[in-house]
Amino acid sequence: MKVTQPPRDLKRINELLERGTPTELARMIDVAALAKMLGVSSRHVYRLADSGQMPRPCKLGAACRWDRRTIEAWIDAGCNAVSSGGRR
C-alpha cells in the first residue's frame, strides 16, 4: 500500500491548530466574509479561486477558508491572477 503525503492545505491548517493562538485561527476567513470583503457573491469567489484569478482556499473536508493576510496582500498587489487558470 502506498503512503501519500497529506495535502499542503491540511498541513497548513494543522500548523495553525497546533499553535492554537486565537489570532492565527482568526486569520482564516470563510467564503461569506471574503465575498463581503470583495463586494461579490460567494459563488463568484469560488469561480475566481477555481480559475486561478485569486489565491486558492485551504480545504478541510467540505470547509473552505482563506488566509486573511494572503488575501489582503493579493488585493494590495492589484488582484493579479495567481496562476495561469483552470482547475488542477
Side-chain angles (χ1 to χ4, degrees):
M1 179 165 76
K2 184 178 178 182
V3 177
T4 60
Q5 292 290 331
R8 183 181 52 131
D9 295 338
L10 184 57
K11 286 182 184 178
R12 175 77 178 123
I13 291 170
N14 284 335
E15 287 172 10
L16 290 174
L17 292 174
E18 284 174 8
R19 287 186 213 152
T21 60
T23 11
E24 291 294 322
L25 293 174
R27 281 183 30 200
M28 303 303 284
I29 57 175
D30 65 1
V31 68
L34 182 54
K36 186 175 180 179
M37 182 186 294
L38 299 175
V40 298
S41 69
S42 296
R43 181 67 195 121
H44 192 66
V45 169
Y46 287 119
R47 282 189 203 110
L48 291 171
D50 288 344
S51 67
Q53 295 179 36
M54 68 174 289
R56 295 184 62 85
C58 293
K59 289 188 156 195
L60 182 59
C64 292
R65 298 291 183 269
W66 283 263
D67 180 75
R68 182 182 299 275
R69 288 185 190 164
T70 302
I71 295 298
E72 288 171 350
W74 172 71
I75 292 170
D76 291 343
C79 300
N80 297 320
V82 293
S83 71
S84 57
R87 284 186 172 210
R88 294 188 222 186

